[in-house]
Amino acid sequence: MVNYKDLGLVNTREMFKRAVAGGYAIPAFNFNTMEQMQAIVMAAVETKSPVIMQVSKGARNYANGTILRNLAKGAVEYAKELGCEHPEIVLHLDHGDTFELCKECIDNGFSSVMIDGSHLPYEENIALAKKVVDYAHQFDVTVEAELGVLAGVEDEVSAAESHYTKPEEVIDFSTRTGCDSLAISIGTSHGAHKFTPEQCTLVNGVLVPPPLAFDILHEIEKKLPGFPIVLHGSSSVPMDEVNTINQYGGHLEAAIGIPEEQLREASKSAVCKINIDSDSRLAMTAAIRKHLAEHPGDFDPRQYLKPARENMKKMYIHKIVNVLGSDGKLAQC
Ligand SMILES: [Zn+2]
């Protein structure tokens, strides 16, 4: 058993409380590689922001759970080395799908887990989430559960259709599960292709997706005042990165994300965790493609991973400062 506190990690409880009260959101960045981890830590330290480093089942399969946990431990020590005496770093399991997986992560240094029973019938979702909460809380690990279904594809999670969260269910669900935060579905979507062009309207030459269902969010906030709400599938799919990828030999068609203004708006509400994965993938791939196209003789991975890391760091800082507003929000610097 490895307890996250021994690794210098924190759970989400205090940072969410402050984020809801302060009208900002904590970034939850997915990571699979050392370069992503370094870029996340550099961005969080430079902006003095708390940060959630999250790992999907796919990331564990790719990089190995033990290695990822040690990267998170390294992240805490690296943040201190960079001059941040009291970093607030969460190691979170993204989309845990079974009790066993959540337990394994809790037993191995994670400070927060998501149990995603959103595809199950309502009562089964509650039973599964409650089982995870009962186990996690013994070790002061926080739990995110989900109500409603997001559309899109990301790693092993996929759904053809979305089902908005029903506000009338949230009190019963959060009370009976005892979860610490709730992921809801209000129109965000997983992956880099969140919407088809047909679902969008053309404004000044740019395809704008349908707006998030802020009415549902506000209803949920009214039912659960101050309760931490989470948005998944919230990459913005920046056109400059998509264009760079396509300019240097890539082929990404109709990649459309969530406009940043809407995420900024959501951050001011009870939404206190916003998940961003695809934007990091795009930033990394764009930089690598550009570098290799411009330097065809390079073959040392450091030559192209360095600009990739720089580009991701720039993106993370932009999100923290201009979209989520979590800069300068560490309890102690
Ligand atoms: Zn998700």
Side-chain angles (χ1 to χ4, degrees):
M1 174 103 195
V2 180
N3 189 285
Y4 70 88
K5 290 175 185 171
D6 297 331
L7 307 179
L9 298 162
V10 297
N11 69 22
T12 58
R13 197 168 292 122
E14 289 305 315
M15 65 173 70
F16 281 177
K17 211 181 277 175
R18 298 193 323 257
V20 174
Y24 59 92
I26 309 292
F29 299 129
N30 287 73
F31 79 111
N32 298 269
T33 72
M34 179 187 76
E35 286 77 12
Q36 283 175 311
M37 179 279 272
Q38 290 171 315
I40 292 167
V41 174
M42 287 190 277
V45 168
E46 229 167 85
T47 57
K48 298 183 167 47
S49 173
V51 72
I52 297 168
M53 297 179 55
Q54 58 184 18
V55 165
S56 65
K57 197 173 160 187
R60 290 178 89 247
N61 290 342
Y62 171 77
N64 175 284
T66 308
I67 288 178
L68 289 170
R69 181 226 308 157
N70 281 289
L71 278 178
K73 178 174 179 249
V76 175
E77 289 170 23
Y78 182 41
K80 290 182 180 169
E81 213 173 279
L82 290 174
C84 179
E85 276 185 55
H86 303 283
E88 292 176 40
I89 300 176
V90 174
L91 177 61
H92 174 77
L93 170 68
D94 192 21
H95 291 287
D97 55 355
T98 60
F99 170 78
E100 289 69 29
L101 175 58
C102 291
K103 180 180 182 300
E104 196 185 317
C105 288
I106 293 163
D107 292 348
N108 283 286
F110 281 63
S111 58
S112 176
V113 294
M114 175 192 192
I115 177 68
D116 181 0
S118 60
H119 53 285
L120 298 171
Y122 183 70
E123 287 297 329
E124 285 174 43
N125 187 1
I126 288 185
L128 178 60
K130 184 176 174 1
K131 191 174 174 193
V132 172
V133 168
D134 287 345
Y135 186 75
H137 282 182
Q138 296 177 63
F139 307 98
D140 205 17
V141 168
T142 41
V143 179
E144 173 185 327
E146 176 163 340
L147 249 187
V149 178
L150 268 72
V153 184
E154 192 160 39
D155 286 355
E156 275 103 27
V157 182
S158 80
E161 270 179 62
S162 73
H163 300 280
Y164 285 173
T165 306
K166 295 181 188 141
E168 61 272 22
E169 290 178 347
V170 296
I171 295 178
D172 183 60
F173 186 84
S174 60
T175 313
R176 286 172 61 199
T177 60
C179 65
D180 301 281
S181 60
L182 184 64
I184 60 167
S185 171
I186 56 165
T188 59
S189 174
H190 287 126
H193 302 84
K194 299 185 187 300
F195 306 96
T196 62
E198 295 73 41
Q199 290 172 296
C200 302
T201 28
L202 199 60
V203 180
N204 301 327
V206 181
L207 286 172
V208 178
L212 298 181
F214 279 101
D215 51 334
I216 295 181
L217 173 61
H218 295 321
E219 261 186 80
I220 292 171
E221 277 190 279
K222 257 187 244 165
K223 305 240 182 226
L224 294 175
F227 194 83
I229 300 297
V230 176
L231 287 188
H232 280 242
S234 297
S235 279
S236 297
V237 190
M239 274 331 282
D240 53 338
E241 305 291 9
V242 173
N243 290 340
T244 302
I245 289 172
N246 289 342
Q247 184 186 339
Y248 293 102
H251 188 68
L252 282 181
E253 263 183 305
I256 298 165
I258 310 292
E260 290 188 337
E261 306 76 65
Q262 296 196 24
L263 297 173
R264 207 173 293 132
E265 190 59 39
S267 300
K268 292 177 189 155
S269 70
V271 170
C272 64
K273 171 176 181 266
I274 293 190
N275 290 6
I276 295 167
D277 188 1
S278 297
D279 285 355
S280 162
R281 299 176 179 194
L282 291 166
M284 186 174 208
T285 302
I288 291 174
R289 278 198 180 274
K290 182 168 188 286
H291 181 92
L292 289 177
E294 288 173 350
H295 307 87
D298 281 0
F299 67 95
D300 179 341
R302 292 173 296 187
Q303 289 166 319
Y304 52 84
L305 289 175
K306 198 173 169 193
R309 191 168 64 192
E310 274 307 306
N311 204 35
M312 289 189 286
K313 178 186 163 191
K314 203 175 93 193
M315 188 279 292
Y316 293 137
I317 290 179
H318 164 71
K319 295 287 180 185
I320 289 171
V321 175
N322 300 315
V323 184
L324 308 180
S326 63
D327 49 313
K329 298 296 196 290
L330 286 175
Q332 289 175 277
C333 281

